[in-house]
Amino acid sequence: MLKQFFSYYKPHKRLFLIDFFSAIFVALLELAFPVAVQSFIDRLLPQENWGLIATVSILLFVVYLLSTFLQYIVSYLGHKLGINIETDMREQLFTHVQRQSFTFFDNTKTGHIMSRITNDLFDIGELAHHGPEDAFISIMTFTGAFSIMFYVNPTLALIALVMVPFLIALVTYCNIAMNKAWHNMYGRIADVNGRVEDAVSGVRVVQSFTNEDFEINRFKTDNNLFRKAKIGAYRVMAATHSSIYMMTRLLTLLVLVVGAWLSYKNQLTAGELVSFVLYTNVLIKPIDKVSALLELYPKGMAGFKRFQELIAQEPEIKDKEDAMSVKKLIGDITFDHVSFSYDQHKSVLNDISLNIRPGETVAFVGPSGAGKTTICSLIPRFYDIDDGSISIDHINIRDMTKKSLRSQIGIVQQDVFLFNGTVSENIAYGRRNATEEEIRVAAHKAHLDEVIQNLPHGYNTQIGERGLKLSGGQKQRLAIARTFLKNPPILILDEATSALDTETERIIQKSLTELAENRTTLVIAHRLATIRDADRIIVVTNDGIAEQGSYDELLAKNGIFAHLHNIQFDPVTNGSLMS
Ligand SMILES: Nc1ncnc2c1ncn2[C@@H]1O[C@H](COP(=O)(O)OP(=O)(O)OP(=O)(O)O)[C@@H](O)[C@H]1O
């Protein structure tokens, strides 16, 4: 895993090397400083050569300036490296997620994907920046400082060394406690986030049930739990910092007392004593850094592992190596003994065979959950079938590239998804290189042009998050305009279940009829009145295709369709839907 982790440094090798060597240089200067002080006190001061003392002081100042500059480089370039790697990974992950099949999204929570793309990658970026650099520099300064101390006075060095395991034990213990406390806090903030997301996106439901107080109370509870968790984490943090501070001061004091004794015994010069005290401070830094790394490493690596697991998840539906890019299909669709289940356990379609001729309009009706939507989802290959084959114009859809297949199919769903942006941008989603004129023509065909003209900024009106500023009927027409622009030979219409006012419904129905002209059209129908003119109606039940024929033929048959018809047009149950 480490090898894969380091492969992300490759594109930023130069940045890494400049940062890394600058950090080494800073560490070397830090190691040299106590030695310089020692020489200053022991050799320079007794000479009382003030000219030389001034020159050395200026030299030290220059060295300080250099060190400050290098520290800036390390901090800036180090963070730049971290965010560059984080950005690369985020882009890779987003691209990967965009290419996943529907099954992936059926089984993965949006919140989890969001958390992978944001939080996890933030931790990984931090580790990428601090990991190798801090580990290397810490080992280098620690061993460097000890070697010099040992060289100067082995006894005092050994006494200082005795304290180090206690310091490491303390730091490690504190880190475990901190990790636990932060983990708890992260869990609580995730709850708060989830609560906000639910309450904000569901605000219409909340307010229509006048459940604002209920939501506020639930939020208060979660917010309070978060407050407690964070206070707990801060308590652990304060205890950690103060106990580490106490231990390090204890180390300094010990060195000072023993050093003073050795100095009294003439085994240590004044300069050496001062440099020893300074070195104890140099020693503390790597211990601090390593302890921070001990916290960062498991977090970053856990994030990287989750990142890799996601990246390793191959899209279920992939193009064959020799898949062909189909150009203009005419829309002759054949299902040949097709069987399908979403999860291998429960079969949804069993041995379905059917042919839809080019230009034909076929409506699917039947009870809820029978598989009407499923049949239509298989044509653009949103899911792969378990058995049989589906072909268009006698070419198996598995032999086509997904991109070329889907470019031939237009889908108008009942739940229209619009993006935050202008009306024009949303229509152009159907064909992103469309000209303004083409967008206007498409809107006109969808009977939407007049509505748009009356919006405050016409085609440049922002429609708000998910098109909230448009009515249900307007959204439907925008989706139709998009599909006009795409101009596909095959059309799938998932008819809206929600009743629109008669006038709007008439306009939408008219647009849809015009859209369906000269295209093979599949309609997932919920209301029989809208499919009166369909060329063929297919009745789907849990046992498969039960009946098919024209509206009148099916009525005359007096079977399931006639039964559904009677329910819908019965004056008592009038208006009730089949699904
Ligand atoms: N993404 C999915 N994952 C698992 N099961 C699913 C999924 N989508 C649908 N199903 C199941 O497959 C069956 C057929 O569903 P489908 O949506 O095709 O029915 P439908 O006839 O279109 O129903 P409706 O008229 O209510 O929209 C149902 O039992 C449903 O629960």
Side-chain angles (χ1 to χ4, degrees):
M1 196 151 82
L2 271 180
K3 203 174 151 198
Q4 273 156 345
F5 184 70
F6 282 120
S7 69
Y8 285 92
Y9 284 80
K10 242 189 203 157
H12 313 287
K13 213 162 43 192
R14 218 169 75 101
L15 201 60
F16 174 71
L17 289 176
I18 299 175
D19 172 52
F20 195 68
F21 283 107
S22 303
I24 290 181
F25 217 72
V26 171
L28 285 176
L29 287 177
E30 257 184 53
L31 279 177
F33 182 67
V35 179
V37 173
Q38 182 192 330
S39 304
F40 198 90
I41 297 172
D42 288 346
R43 295 196 200 151
L44 221 55
L45 281 183
Q47 288 180 30
E48 294 189 12
N49 181 346
W50 297 110
L52 188 63
I53 288 175
T55 317
V56 172
S57 302
I58 292 170
L59 219 89
L60 276 178
F61 175 69
V62 174
V63 171
Y64 265 137
L65 275 185
L66 179 69
S67 173
T68 311
F69 174 69
L70 287 175
Q71 295 225 19
Y72 165 80
I73 297 275
V74 171
S75 173
Y76 173 61
L77 292 191
H79 281 105
K80 192 170 164 184
L81 174 74
I83 184 67
N84 280 359
I85 291 177
E86 191 186 322
T87 308
D88 290 350
M89 287 183 175
R90 185 168 290 127
E91 196 177 305
Q92 185 187 1
L93 197 56
F94 183 79
T95 310
H96 189 73
V97 167
Q98 278 287 302
R99 298 202 169 125
Q100 286 297 326
S101 314
F102 276 31
T103 315
F104 170 85
F105 297 100
D106 290 346
N107 300 320
T108 317
K109 287 185 184 155
T110 317
H112 282 189
I113 301 175
M114 294 289 286
S115 152
R116 293 301 90 89
I117 290 183
T118 52
N119 297 355
D120 276 1
L121 282 175
F122 181 73
D123 291 340
I124 298 171
E126 278 292 288
L127 179 64
H129 161 211
H130 291 287
E133 183 186 303
D134 284 5
F136 184 83
I137 303 295
S138 300
I139 293 169
M140 191 186 112
T141 26
F142 192 83
T143 47
F146 247 111
S147 308
I148 299 172
M149 284 164 89
F150 208 78
Y151 176 76
V152 176
N153 191 306
T155 320
L156 197 51
L158 281 176
I159 288 172
L161 192 64
V162 170
M163 287 287 285
V164 170
F166 292 105
L167 205 57
I168 292 176
L170 176 72
V171 165
T172 312
Y173 173 77
C174 288
N175 257 308
I176 294 170
M178 287 265 281
N179 250 333
K180 243 176 151 171
W182 287 121
H183 187 78
N184 186 21
M185 193 204 77
Y186 281 137
R188 296 275 86 95
I189 192 65
D191 290 345
V192 170
N193 287 345
R195 190 67 71 207
V196 173
E197 198 183 320
D198 265 7
V200 172
S201 49
V203 71
R204 284 158 191 80
V205 181
V206 174
Q207 294 194 0
S208 61
F209 281 100
T210 60
N211 272 341
E212 291 93 326
D213 288 341
F214 173 65
E215 287 299 334
I216 291 168
N217 282 334
R218 286 211 293 187
F219 180 79
K220 269 188 190 163
T221 311
D222 284 344
N223 204 21
N224 238 334
L225 285 174
F226 169 62
R227 184 182 69 90
K228 282 187 185 150
K230 196 152 187 181
I231 290 176
Y234 281 139
R235 195 184 309 119
V236 176
M237 195 170 87
T240 301
H241 286 166
S242 38
S243 41
I244 290 177
Y245 179 80
M246 197 192 77
M247 279 295 267
T248 54
R249 294 311 112 179
L250 226 85
L251 176 64
T252 312
L253 199 65
L254 187 72
V255 166
L256 196 67
V257 171
V258 180
W261 171 253
L262 290 173
S263 176
Y264 171 71
K265 290 272 183 189
N266 278 335
Q267 288 174 16
L268 201 71
T269 65
E272 285 170 346
L273 179 58
V274 173
S275 81
F276 250 90
V277 172
L278 290 175
Y279 273 124
T280 54
N281 278 324
V282 174
L283 277 186
I284 290 156
K285 265 198 188 165
I287 294 178
D288 239 14
K289 275 193 176 170
V290 168
S291 84
L293 209 61
L294 285 179
E295 186 194 336
L296 204 62
Y297 186 80
K299 253 198 330 198
M301 273 300 156
F304 187 64
K305 193 166 168 241
R306 285 192 290 261
F307 166 81
Q308 286 218 300
E309 278 167 5
L310 249 181
I311 291 290
Q313 221 163 315
E314 287 285 332
E316 215 172 70
I317 296 173
K318 283 200 297 194
D319 285 345
K320 271 180 166 180
E321 262 181 29
D322 55 351
M324 64 172 105
S325 173
V326 285
K327 295 285 178 275
K328 194 82 185 161
L329 296 173
I330 53 166
D332 184 348
I333 305 169
T334 305
F335 277 58
D336 188 17
H337 299 285
V338 170
S339 297
F340 173 75
S341 64
Y342 283 99
D343 53 12
Q344 313 299 331
H345 300 301
K346 190 175 146 243
S347 160
V348 176
L349 301 178
N350 196 11
D351 200 24
I352 298 278
S353 291
L354 86 117
N355 174 257
I356 301 168
R357 293 179 296 279
E360 194 181 11
T361 293
V362 173
F364 291 90
V365 300
S368 176
K372 306 181 289 289
T373 310
T374 305
I375 291 177
C376 293
S377 304
L378 297 178
I379 300 170
R381 218 184 145 198
F382 289 143
Y383 298 93
D384 264 344
I385 53 177
D386 304 328
D387 242 323
S389 70
I390 299 173
S391 56
I392 304 178
D393 297 1
H394 308 290
I395 308 168
N396 192 322
I397 57 170
R398 287 192 196 217
D399 294 332
M400 305 176 185
T401 61
K402 270 187 303 178
K403 197 177 162 97
S404 68
L405 165 67
R406 291 176 189 173
S407 71
Q408 306 284 320
I409 303 169
I411 304 172
V412 181
Q413 268 154 338
Q414 51 171 300
D415 184 15
V416 179
F417 191 97
L418 299 178
F419 294 92
N420 205 359
T422 63
V423 173
S424 178
E425 283 162 359
N426 269 285
I427 299 178
Y429 211 79
R431 180 152 49 89
R432 286 190 317 282
N433 58 0
T435 63
E436 269 183 33
E437 184 52 31
E438 286 170 328
I439 293 173
R440 217 168 273 267
V441 170
H444 182 74
K445 284 184 184 163
H447 301 274
L448 191 63
D449 189 41
E450 206 176 305
V451 178
I452 300 173
Q453 304 284 9
N454 286 328
L455 290 173
H457 302 287
Y459 279 81
N460 292 322
T461 307
Q462 293 284 338
I463 54 169
E465 203 174 339
R466 295 195 181 182
L468 275 179
K469 292 184 191 164
L470 296 183
S471 72
Q474 288 165 349
K475 278 199 239 176
Q476 283 272 333
R477 276 180 277 169
L478 202 148
I480 295 170
R482 236 184 216 173
T483 315
F484 263 119
L485 205 55
K486 184 172 182 181
N487 193 21
I490 299 166
L491 197 62
I492 295 171
L493 305 176
D494 189 357
E495 194 197 54
T497 42
S498 51
L500 299 159
D501 65 85
T502 330
E503 179 56 13
T504 311
E505 188 169 339
R506 194 187 59 79
I507 298 174
I508 291 178
Q509 208 48 54
K510 193 161 176 264
S511 314
L512 285 175
T513 310
E514 285 162 14
L515 182 64
E517 255 168 44
N518 301 322
R519 301 178 211 271
T520 305
T521 306
L522 289 84
V523 186
I524 303 164
H526 300 279
R527 276 167 298 162
L528 302 186
T530 57
I531 52 164
R532 190 83 188 69
D533 298 326
D535 297 319
R536 187 159 36 129
I537 294 166
I538 297 182
V539 182
V540 185
T541 65
N542 289 329
D543 301 323
I545 295 174
E547 293 171 3
Q548 51 181 310
S550 72
Y551 198 95
D552 293 332
E553 280 167 9
L554 288 179
L555 270 189
K557 208 170 180 183
N558 211 11
I560 300 171
F561 180 79
H563 175 66
L564 293 172
H565 183 271
N566 290 342
I567 297 173
Q568 250 188 41
F569 293 99
D570 183 326
V572 181
T573 56
N574 190 14
S576 72
L577 303 171
M578 285 173 292
S579 51

